[in-house]
Amino acid sequence: MRVLVIGSGAREHALLLALRRDPEVEALAIAPGNAGTAAIAQQHDVDITSGEAVAKLARQIGADLVIIGPEVPLVLGVADAVRAAGIACFGPTRDAARIEGSKAFAKDVMAAAGVRTARSEIVDNPARLDAALDRFGPPGGEAAWVVKDDGLAAGKGVVVTTDRDVARAHAASLLDAGHPVLLESFLDGPEVSLFCVVDGETVVPLLAAQDFKRVGNNDTGPNTGGMGAYAPLPWLPADVADRIVDEIVKPVAAELVRRGSSFSGLLYAGLAITSQGPAVVEFNCRFGDPETQSVLALLDSPLGQLLRAAATGTLAQLPPLKWRDGAAVTVVLAAENYPSRPRVGDVITGSEADGVLHAGTARRDDGAVVSCGGRVLSVVGTGSDLAAARAAAYALIESIRLPGSHFRSDIGLAAAEGRISV
């Protein structure tokens, strides 16, 4: 099987590494890739938002399977174009990708499927904003205001705050930019990311993970695309994970089939484990970053065969997945000033060690690896338990040098110390 991966982040680097372990994968290509993926896959420069361009590349290299990593190409219908060219594609149709591309669509699907989620309201007119804010957040009983961009925002369109002025300013800035605003009630409890490979109504869950969105330790500072993750979750009871699949993911998958928007690909449920049980924070239509880096580090089953089965409608025929014992921790090394405009062009040393996955990197003409984005590297440590995996990840990240860079030092710490419970 010849596989083409679309994307340029650490998520795609992790996908390539896992695919390379599959004995049925004979050739790997990526578009556009980064300085790290160049060592393990043939790289191609292509406009990944153009379905025509991606399908043309897939035909040229004889790809048997295309795997689309980022959400933007999926929401724009690139998977549809690849399938129309007669090539198997792991990634939902444009119609089904609305589960991430439109939070209003996702809320409608969840309501029809009877899935528990936060109370919400769409505001598309500035004149309605103040009255809507009064229906959410303090002093209305909720712990905070939750203000979201209704569309794609790379994980940075959400503000959770106890300050009404901050909530209003974020909402007003979105409305001024022509973006509808989603106000939600606050969901208490620890958050969980559960990835499920989906083929119509067939759902195969992967390991549950937890990610860290805030830029600073102890969940301080603004939201980012993700500063780290760990898997599995020692504090999440097995029956709760089963409930998430049976009460949330399967009903949503079935509702999408009922609507004629059958989902084929990776359905990512972001959840809060509240005092009343699991509730959906959001759905995504693709592998999450940085959770993918931790989850795939523990996968023992052949990834290429799993994703091809979903892409070809044969997922139900696969045997149960196998996982390695232990835990995996991913820590993101970010450029100076991230999540604002990051400093770029700095030379990175120590980035080619095992366990270092590239994202915002490029190789200069002189051979040096330099930063070219906000989240520059993901460092993955594995071990017999969460404490050992943390120790491995942080020992590795300390060996890397990037001027002005920063990372969180508390990824997985609360769980390792037994401070999270359901």
Side-chain angles (χ1 to χ4, degrees):
M1 164 172 38
R2 300 176 64 85
V3 182
L4 170 62
V5 175
I6 301 298
S8 61
R11 164 184 52 211
E12 287 74 33
H13 197 165
L15 285 165
L16 290 173
L17 290 173
L19 288 164
R20 192 171 61 168
R21 299 195 298 265
D22 187 331
E24 292 195 9
V25 174
E26 61 185 32
L28 288 170
I30 186 167
N34 56 50
T37 59
I40 54 176
Q42 185 181 28
Q43 303 219 140
H44 300 271
D45 187 13
V46 71
D47 178 3
I48 67 171
T49 65
S50 166
E52 180 182 0
V54 172
K56 180 180 179 181
L57 173 62
R59 284 195 302 266
Q60 285 176 343
I61 67 174
D64 302 297
L65 174 66
V66 175
I67 300 168
I68 300 177
E71 62 273 23
V72 173
L74 292 168
V75 170
L76 293 176
V78 171
D80 304 70
V82 173
R83 290 192 182 93
I87 302 168
C89 184
F90 184 81
T93 63
R94 179 176 186 163
D95 197 39
R98 289 185 294 161
I99 198 75
E100 177 171 1
S102 169
K103 293 179 179 64
F105 174 78
K107 289 289 187 182
D108 188 58
V109 169
M110 284 186 274
V115 168
R116 188 165 177 271
T117 186
R119 178 175 64 89
S120 65
E121 182 176 338
I122 291 285
V123 180
D124 56 11
N125 185 331
R128 296 176 45 227
L129 177 58
D130 286 305
L133 284 170
D134 290 341
R135 291 189 283 273
F136 290 84
E142 284 126 16
W145 279 276
V146 181
V147 183
K148 298 182 177 181
D149 189 330
D150 182 53
L152 298 178
K156 292 179 279 189
V158 181
V159 164
V160 180
T161 179
T162 57
D163 188 324
R164 189 183 191 280
D165 290 340
V166 172
R168 191 186 191 287
H170 181 60
S173 68
L174 294 174
L175 291 169
D176 288 345
H179 296 202
V181 171
L182 181 76
L183 299 180
E184 284 188 337
S185 58
F186 180 79
L187 295 174
D188 66 327
E191 292 196 3
V192 171
S193 299
L194 183 66
F195 298 167
C196 294
V197 179
V198 175
D199 165 17
E201 294 194 43
T202 302
V203 175
V204 176
L206 306 186
L207 290 180
Q210 185 177 63
D211 77 331
F212 295 75
K213 288 294 187 188
R214 302 275 190 165
V215 71
N217 283 352
N218 302 313
D219 295 325
T220 57
N223 272 351
T224 70
M227 293 299 293
Y230 67 95
L233 307 182
W235 49 268
L236 185 69
D239 65 313
V240 176
D242 292 340
R243 282 183 62 191
I244 293 169
V245 174
D246 293 338
E247 299 177 9
I248 292 175
V249 182
K250 287 183 176 179
V252 165
E255 175 60 20
L256 289 171
V257 170
R258 188 191 70 78
R259 292 174 178 229
S261 303
S262 183
F263 195 98
S264 173
L266 197 289
L267 187 57
Y268 164 160
L271 310 123
I273 310 303
T274 74
S275 51
Q276 283 78 44
V280 176
V281 175
E282 64 179 358
F283 274 106
N284 293 327
C285 65
R286 39 70 195 184
F287 280 101
D289 184 335
E291 300 100 317
T292 297
Q293 292 88 294
S294 291
V295 171
L296 292 187
L298 299 173
L299 179 65
D300 213 22
S301 295
L303 180 65
Q305 295 170 51
L306 171 65
L307 304 190
R308 180 176 60 184
T312 58
T314 59
L315 183 61
Q317 300 172 22
L318 282 189
L321 297 182
K322 295 180 181 179
W323 298 93
R324 299 171 185 175
D325 293 334
V329 171
T330 299
V331 182
V332 170
L333 184 72
E336 182 177 350
N337 205 38
Y338 178 80
S340 297
R341 183 184 296 275
R343 174 172 148 176
V344 298
D346 289 309
V347 173
I348 309 164
T349 58
S351 67
E352 299 184 50
D354 289 343
V356 180
L357 307 184
H358 289 231
T361 65
R363 194 173 292 277
R364 280 192 328 211
D365 291 342
D366 63 0
V369 175
V370 298
S371 60
C372 66
R375 292 189 297 168
V376 181
L377 302 169
S378 282
V379 174
V380 182
T382 58
S384 58
D385 58 19
L386 195 50
R390 271 180 45 82
Y394 282 107
L396 183 53
I397 205 167
E398 290 289 356
S399 70
I400 299 169
R401 294 291 176 266
L402 172 61
S405 62
H406 59 97
F407 59 88
R408 284 184 59 161
S409 63
D410 63 345
I411 304 300
L413 179 60
E417 293 179 344
R419 291 189 279 117
I420 303 179
S421 62
V422 175

